[in-house]
Amino acid sequence: MEKPTKFILCLCLCFFLPSVENISTKATNAFHVGVVLDLGTLVGKTARTSISMAIEDFYAKHSNCTTRLVVHTLDSNNDVVRASCIALDLLKNREVQTIIGPQKSSQAAFVSDLGNKSQVPIVTFSATSPSLSSTRTPYLVRTTVNDSCQVNSIASIIKAYGWRKVVPVYEDTDYGRGIMPYLMDALQGIDTRIPYHSIIPLSATNDEIMEELRKLRRMQTRVFIVHMTSPMASRLFPKAKVAGMMSEGYVWIMTDGLANVVDSLDPSIIDSMQGALGVKSYVPKSRELHDFTIRWKRRFHKDNPSDQLTEPGILGLWAYDAVWAVAMAAEKVGVANATFDKPQAGPNLTDLDAVGISMNGPKLLKAILESRFRGISGHFHLVDGQLQSSAFQIINVVGRGGREVGFWTPQYGLSKKLNQSISKECSTLMTDLCPVIWPGESTEIPKGWEMPVSGTKLRIGVPVRDGIGEFVKVERDAFTNMTTVSGYCIDVFEAAIQKLPYAMPYEYIPFGNSEGTAWTYNDLVYQVYLQKYDAVVGDVTIRFNRSLHVDFTLPYTESGVSMIVPVKQNIDNSAWTFLKPLTTDLWLGSFFFFIYTGFVVWVIEHRNNKEFRGPLSQQIGTVFYFSFSTLVFAHGEKVENNLSRLVIIIWVFVVLVLTSSYTANLASMLTVQQLQPAVTDVYELLKNGDYVGYSRGSFIEDVLKQLNFDKSKIRAYDSPEEYAQALLKGSKNGGVAAIVDEIPYITEFLAKHCPDYTMVGPIIKTAGFGFAFPKGSPLVPDISMGILDLTKRDDILEIGRKWFGDHNSCLNEGSTVSSNNLSLSHFWGLFLITGVASTCALVIFLATFFYKNWQEMRNIDHDKSILQRLISWLNYFNRKDENSYTFRREKTNDMNSDASIYRRDEANVEASHNQLIISSNSDANSGRPEEESSSAEHANPSAEAELISTVSTN
């Protein structure tokens, strides 16, 4: 053997202590098991007692076993190297089939490598670090719960109480660091930040621990997650109490490694932990557990008279169940092949090579992993080489130990009772937990942060800009050198601060170009990320790139980016102005429906209305005249058909709406003064190559570059007065054609220059102004609630009127007044209605016509071509319908008129005849001779004949 190998062996033997062996002479076959514990610790003493009782109880219950565990217990004395040497000795010299332990995760990391090399299962009941993986070390079996299993329960507690920042406090060991990646992921999932990691080395002195606590006390965060072993925690909590950090307002949450053993700590240590919360693996109560605890307490006091431990704790229970799993596997596998395949001796053979490979190892590992039984700690079931926990118990340290306040399970989240019926999804509500007594014996839920007790004020950065004083105005007194900060943004912030239920001291720190150095608002916001400021208050726009570094409150101003452009008066003196109220498509559409409606009425009325008949030119004129005369409701043609009447009723309504709209729009164009913006679109500026302006230091410069504006066409200005001067000059005279800025600035500008300028846009959308705080700052939701309250009460409008005045009327004057042309899209619904009505009427008429005349039409030129038949049908349609009601009524009227004339003429003849008779009689009576009367009676026979002839003719 080489000298280095001998030296390592000697080093291991130097640390080796005489083993405490429990060898039973009654066992038929001895199954050797090594146990590596830190016997000087409370956990080591607890485990030794539990292991001894587990062997006794197992074989008392299984008296027919053919194997019996022979335990070789060695003390690693809390040392990683010593634990490795002891494990090597047990494998080489005792040829143990399995090793129970070691106790710590750092020790298990080394010992598990020995187990892999020798294929001997390493069964640990207390190494909980997530860094130990069954994938990398398949022969490591953990009958304990992985630390990563508890991080979601801790995250649920933090989310339930609404804490946004937490500080983990952990020891600088593999055990302490192993949980951190998993804890950070869980907290990130609930939007909770870790602003600082408090790492305490095992070698830290009391003064160093106190200094670390003072550093934590100077921070705002008051929620701490403690992840460390009980010896380190026994040093931390008393110092925290002395530092005043176990008082009201603080929150301490212990992981299960500490919460599992809190009841076994010294009473003075427990007294310093009052009010702390903890999560611990839940052990279901049972009769067996109760009996075991009583027996265990007697045995422990017998083995350790000076210790006052009253319960075995979860680690003692896991050690007990681990022995049962090993004993069951040993009985299943047996000792037939309980040997090691060792290499032949050689000059280069090391002690590790000399150990060999266990022949029983693979079978024994499989048997342990497949173990299923009801143990003292609950259901024993291994998945991926480690114990699975179904629930965590949440405790509150009050009095002499932990008081139960609730449970957490992966399925249901937080709950007051473990087996209560829960129909809702996974809960993260604090109402699902029992009331907690917080540090300082307070029942009020801590808000999770406080201003540092050193009395330092919140450092608030404010922008310093020349020219725009309404938003933020910074003034320095030349005599007293005092800085005064005012403005709209400042008043909104201070009003929101007053809404907070607690006092928050602060001071304003100006940030600007006092030394001539250019700066931007991005630079100002980045100061918060660099922790030079605790917040930024001012006219700071909420932007995505800024939100990567800070958190913004809710916006308190209007959002968006628009343009300021000059207003030009537009007076149209064109001779064709009357055409502008309607667009071309509406003119054409109206003309089409005029013709179509007239055509439909002509078709319906042509056969039975003499006003729609006559020569072709006369009929075409009738169609056009009838349609267009409806514009002034002066159509004189009388329609006879009800279908055409329906068409005209609907069409007259459409004409009424169309003419009214045309009249109103034309009147607006001719009488109202037209104020038109000089530029209507940002792309018009690009097309014309105009210069544009923006506010110096704002993000608008980046926006203009994204819109493809050349850098040479962009000009920066500092004040509204410079805006007005640049716009007055114009793009061709050293000024600009438009100013691109945020709407709050534009509003302020138009309040002073409204007659000559107007706003066009918006160009892009923004979120408005907000106050910037560090990521995860608990002030953000509180300040946002204050802003909402200001908005609800209209207080923010009063603040706006204080700084900007009541400028709504002024903005109306500066707004663009214009009349838009009416297009077809405005009336397509009306045209659709009249078109459908006219078409339906036409179809109904034609269908009726063909139905009544089909028998006669089918015989017309039936032996000729289709074209000739079609012409014949059109000629047939062109005939006057003598059977129609209109023409039958006219014929009847004519006949009645002829009869009346005949009766009148006959009466006239009779009257004339009578007149002649009367005249004759008069002459006779006057003394004429009779013969003269008789001759007179026949004196004018021709006149009488002519009268009779006239009557007959009539």
Side-chain angles (χ1 to χ4, degrees):
M1 184 179 295
E2 296 180 353
K3 292 183 178 180
T5 305
K6 293 181 179 180
F7 175 77
I8 294 175
L9 181 59
C10 292
L11 179 63
C12 294
L13 294 176
C14 288
F15 286 110
F16 180 72
L17 295 177
S19 62
V20 181
E21 301 183 7
N22 296 323
I23 305 176
S24 176
T25 57
K26 298 181 181 180
T28 305
N29 296 305
F31 193 93
H32 295 278
V33 176
V35 177
V36 182
L37 298 173
D38 296 332
L39 295 177
T41 64
L42 193 60
V43 174
K45 297 176 182 179
T46 299
R48 182 172 61 179
T49 301
S50 296
I51 290 173
S52 299
M53 293 182 63
I55 295 175
E56 296 173 1
D57 293 347
F58 181 82
Y59 290 111
K61 189 173 182 179
H62 304 84
S63 57
N64 297 326
C65 290
T66 59
T67 60
R68 186 175 182 89
L69 300 185
V70 178
V71 178
H72 306 269
T73 305
L74 300 177
D75 185 9
S76 61
N77 199 22
N78 199 23
D79 185 87
V80 176
V81 177
R82 183 180 177 85
S84 301
C85 292
I86 289 174
L88 184 61
D89 178 72
L90 289 172
L91 293 171
K92 179 182 178 182
N93 299 322
R94 308 300 177 91
E95 293 189 351
V96 295
Q97 299 300 304
T98 186
I99 294 177
I100 298 178
Q103 190 172 311
K104 293 185 175 180
S105 298
S106 56
Q107 299 170 348
F110 287 91
V111 175
S112 61
D113 289 334
L114 295 176
N116 281 349
K117 181 72 175 179
S118 59
Q119 294 188 2
V120 172
I122 309 298
V123 182
T124 177
F125 58 89
S126 58
T128 59
S129 175
S131 61
L132 299 174
S133 171
S134 60
T135 303
R136 188 178 64 85
T137 54
Y139 278 85
L140 176 65
V141 179
R142 291 197 286 193
T143 61
T144 181
V145 177
N146 190 331
D147 279 338
S148 63
C149 297
Q150 63 180 313
V151 295
N152 288 328
S153 63
I154 296 174
S156 295
I157 296 173
I158 293 172
K159 184 176 181 180
Y161 290 104
W163 298 317
R164 299 291 304 279
K165 285 185 178 182
V166 298
V167 173
V169 183
Y170 54 97
E171 61 183 40
D172 192 13
T173 60
D174 290 340
Y175 167 75
R177 294 185 298 268
I179 195 177
M180 284 302 111
Y182 303 92
L183 181 61
M184 292 173 66
D185 289 343
L187 295 177
Q188 186 177 3
I190 61 171
D191 197 22
T192 298
R193 293 184 64 248
I194 300 179
Y196 176 73
H197 289 254
S198 179
I199 307 174
I200 302 178
L202 293 179
S203 60
T205 63
N206 290 337
D207 291 338
E208 291 173 341
I209 295 176
M210 183 60 75
E211 180 59 31
E212 181 66 19
L213 291 173
R214 291 194 188 101
K215 183 186 298 184
L216 296 178
R217 194 164 182 247
R218 289 192 293 268
M219 297 180 180
Q220 292 183 4
T221 307
R222 291 292 181 264
V223 182
F224 306 105
I225 300 176
V226 181
H227 181 65
M228 53 182 56
T229 57
S230 56
M232 181 59 71
S234 299
R235 299 175 59 195
L236 175 71
F237 279 99
K239 297 299 179 185
K241 185 176 182 180
V242 172
M245 299 177 67
M246 297 302 299
S247 57
E248 185 176 354
Y250 285 88
V251 179
W252 295 85
I253 302 176
M254 302 177 294
T255 58
D256 68 342
L258 181 57
N260 286 333
V261 299
V262 69
D263 293 332
S264 64
L265 298 177
D266 188 87
S268 63
I269 305 299
I270 297 177
D271 182 67
S272 66
M273 303 168 67
Q274 296 296 302
L277 291 177
V279 294
K280 58 185 294 186
S281 297
Y282 173 68
V283 178
K285 296 180 180 179
S286 63
R287 181 65 183 177
E288 292 79 5
L289 176 61
H290 177 72
D291 295 341
F292 171 78
T293 302
I294 296 176
R295 293 188 296 110
W296 183 93
K297 182 178 179 180
R298 290 197 297 263
R299 173 68 70 86
F300 183 82
H301 287 166
K302 179 180 178 181
D303 297 339
N304 308 278
S306 59
D307 294 315
Q308 301 298 322
L309 191 63
T310 59
E311 292 185 357
I314 187 65
L315 296 181
L317 301 181
W318 283 338
Y320 183 92
D321 290 342
V323 173
W324 273 61
V326 172
M328 294 171 64
E331 182 65 20
K332 181 178 181 180
V333 175
V335 295
N337 295 320
T339 58
F340 283 80
D341 183 12
K342 298 182 179 181
Q344 297 180 355
N348 297 325
L349 193 65
T350 63
D351 287 344
L352 185 60
D353 295 330
V355 170
I357 298 176
S358 173
M359 303 301 294
N360 252 357
K363 294 181 180 179
L364 183 61
L365 175 65
K366 182 179 179 181
I368 294 175
L369 295 177
E370 293 176 351
S371 299
R372 304 283 190 279
F373 60 92
R374 181 71 181 180
I376 294 295
S377 63
H379 183 63
F380 188 90
H381 173 53
L382 300 176
V383 177
D384 294 332
Q386 60 189 11
L387 190 66
Q388 299 300 300
S389 177
S390 59
F392 284 95
Q393 185 180 19
I394 303 172
I395 63 171
N396 180 207
V397 180
V398 178
R400 293 183 296 176
R403 178 178 68 92
E404 178 185 297
V405 295
F407 296 89
W408 181 89
T409 57
Q411 297 83 7
Y412 305 117
L414 301 176
S415 59
K416 293 181 181 179
K417 300 295 182 182
L418 184 61
N419 296 322
Q420 68 181 9
S421 177
I422 302 178
S423 58
K424 58 185 178 182
E425 295 182 357
C426 189
S427 172
T428 55
L429 301 175
M430 64 179 176
T431 54
D432 289 321
L433 295 175
C434 296
V436 176
I437 306 299
W438 304 98
E441 299 182 356
S442 173
T443 57
E444 183 178 353
I445 299 173
K447 60 178 179 290
W449 70 278
E450 293 287 348
M451 292 304 299
V453 296
S454 60
T456 55
K457 299 179 180 180
L458 202 67
R459 299 164 300 167
I460 299 179
V462 293
V464 178
R465 292 185 61 188
D466 297 331
I468 304 180
E470 285 79 4
F471 290 99
V472 179
K473 186 176 183 180
V474 180
E475 297 176 315
R476 183 179 297 275
D477 193 310
F479 296 99
T480 62
N481 203 31
M482 294 290 294
T483 300
T484 303
V485 181
S486 60
Y488 172 76
C489 301
I490 302 300
D491 284 358
V492 172
F493 174 73
E494 292 179 350
I497 288 293
Q498 293 176 2
K499 303 291 183 181
L500 299 180
Y502 48 84
M504 191 188 73
Y506 57 89
E507 62 177 344
Y508 295 116
I509 303 175
F511 177 86
N513 53 354
S514 57
E515 299 179 357
T517 304
W519 63 274
T520 65
Y521 279 84
N522 289 338
D523 299 331
L524 174 59
V525 171
Y526 198 67
Q527 303 305 308
V528 178
Y529 179 76
L530 298 177
Q531 299 183 359
K532 292 184 178 181
Y533 297 144
D534 297 315
V536 166
V537 172
D539 48 344
V540 180
T541 305
I542 302 172
R543 297 285 291 169
F544 172 75
N545 61 319
R546 298 171 183 173
S547 298
L548 297 175
H549 303 97
V550 298
D551 281 344
F552 283 98
T553 62
L554 290 177
Y556 57 90
T557 63
E558 191 177 357
S559 61
V561 174
S562 296
M563 292 192 303
I564 306 173
V565 298
V567 172
K568 63 179 181 179
Q569 184 173 347
N570 182 23
I571 301 178
D572 193 352
N573 296 320
S574 173
W576 304 99
T577 304
F578 69 92
L579 294 176
K580 292 185 178 180
L582 307 183
T583 59
T584 303
D585 60 344
L586 184 54
W587 280 115
L588 295 177
S590 302
F591 180 79
F592 170 78
F593 276 96
F594 270 109
I595 302 304
Y596 181 67
T597 303
F599 171 75
V600 171
V601 173
W602 175 84
V603 170
I604 297 175
E605 295 290 330
H606 177 67
R607 285 178 53 82
N608 57 5
N609 193 334
K610 64 180 181 180
E611 295 188 8
F612 288 85
R613 300 188 61 81
L616 179 61
S617 59
Q618 177 70 20
Q619 296 184 48
I620 294 176
T622 300
V623 171
F624 280 90
Y625 174 77
F626 179 84
S627 298
F628 287 96
S629 63
T630 56
L631 281 172
V632 291
F633 310 103
H635 45 285
E637 290 79 8
K638 184 179 179 182
V639 295
E640 301 291 346
N641 196 297
N642 287 331
L643 291 176
S644 57
R645 289 170 180 169
L646 175 64
V647 171
I648 293 175
I649 290 173
I650 297 176
W651 174 244
V652 167
F653 174 75
V654 174
V655 169
L656 175 63
V657 175
L658 189 63
T659 55
S660 300
S661 302
Y662 172 84
T663 303
N665 207 21
L666 179 61
S668 175
M669 289 183 174
L670 295 177
T671 60
V672 178
Q673 180 183 1
Q674 302 295 306
L675 299 179
Q676 296 288 349
V679 179
T680 59
D681 189 76
V682 67
Y683 296 103
E684 184 179 346
L685 298 171
L686 280 170
K687 181 180 179 181
N688 298 334
D690 291 329
Y691 288 88
V692 294
Y694 71 97
S695 179
R696 192 186 307 276
S698 70
F699 68 94
I700 301 299
E701 181 180 9
D702 297 331
V703 172
L704 293 174
K705 291 179 180 179
Q706 292 174 3
L707 292 173
N708 297 324
F709 277 94
D710 189 85
K711 187 176 181 180
S712 61
K713 296 293 183 179
I714 302 174
R715 291 172 176 173
Y717 300 99
D718 295 316
S719 65
E721 287 70 22
E722 293 185 5
Y723 283 1
Q725 293 175 6
L727 289 170
L728 183 61
K729 291 180 181 179
S731 179
K732 297 181 180 180
N733 299 315
V736 294
I739 296 291
V740 179
D741 211 339
E742 297 177 74
I743 290 179
Y745 298 122
I746 296 178
T747 302
E748 180 198 7
F749 176 85
L750 292 180
K752 299 177 181 179
H753 306 86
C754 60
D756 303 317
Y757 305 97
T758 189
M759 179 171 63
V760 175
I763 299 174
I764 63 171
K765 289 290 186 180
T766 59
F769 293 167
F771 305 128
F773 288 87
K775 277 287 187 180
S777 173
L779 278 174
V780 172
D782 293 345
I783 298 294
S784 296
M785 289 295 294
I787 293 174
L788 285 177
D789 191 48
L790 291 174
T791 305
K792 179 182 67 176
R793 299 174 181 271
D794 293 336
D795 294 344
I796 202 165
L797 297 179
E798 293 296 329
I799 298 174
R801 279 190 282 268
K802 170 186 174 183
W803 288 99
F804 307 115
D806 192 2
H807 50 259
N808 291 332
S809 60
C810 187
L811 288 180
N812 290 335
E813 293 177 11
S815 300
T816 299
V817 179
S818 63
S819 298
N820 295 325
N821 296 345
L822 300 175
S823 65
L824 183 62
S825 61
H826 295 98
F827 300 96
W828 72 269
L830 287 174
F831 287 134
L832 176 64
I833 293 174
T834 186
V836 170
S838 299
T839 303
C840 291
L842 180 62
V843 170
I844 294 173
F845 172 78
L846 293 177
T848 304
F849 170 76
F850 281 110
Y851 176 76
K852 291 181 177 180
N853 301 279
W854 180 246
Q855 293 296 332
E856 186 175 351
M857 291 176 62
R858 64 186 299 181
N859 297 323
I860 298 176
D861 297 336
H862 63 277
D863 56 344
K864 296 184 179 180
S865 65
I866 296 177
L867 180 59
Q868 291 176 334
R869 294 194 67 185
L870 181 60
I871 295 175
S872 299
W873 286 351
L874 290 176
N875 292 329
Y876 181 83
F877 176 79
N878 191 42
R879 299 176 187 175
K880 183 170 62 174
D881 187 3
E882 298 291 348
N883 296 324
S884 66
Y885 171 75
T886 302
F887 290 118
R888 285 189 289 107
R889 182 186 60 189
E890 290 181 354
K891 186 176 183 180
T892 302
N893 292 337
D894 291 343
M895 293 177 64
N896 292 336
S897 178
D898 291 344
S900 298
I901 294 173
Y902 177 78
R903 285 193 298 270
R904 185 179 67 250
D905 292 344
E906 188 177 31
N908 291 336
V909 172
E910 184 178 358
S912 299
H913 180 68
N914 292 336
Q915 184 65 33
L916 291 175
I917 294 174
I918 293 172
S919 298
S920 300
N921 293 334
S922 294
D923 293 339
N925 293 332
S926 62
R928 289 184 179 182
E930 184 177 353
E931 58 277 16
E932 290 183 7
S933 298
S934 176
S935 58
E937 184 177 356
H938 301 279
N940 195 5
S942 60
E944 183 176 356
E946 183 180 356
L947 177 62
I948 295 173
S949 175
T950 302
V951 172
S952 301
T953 303
N954 290 335

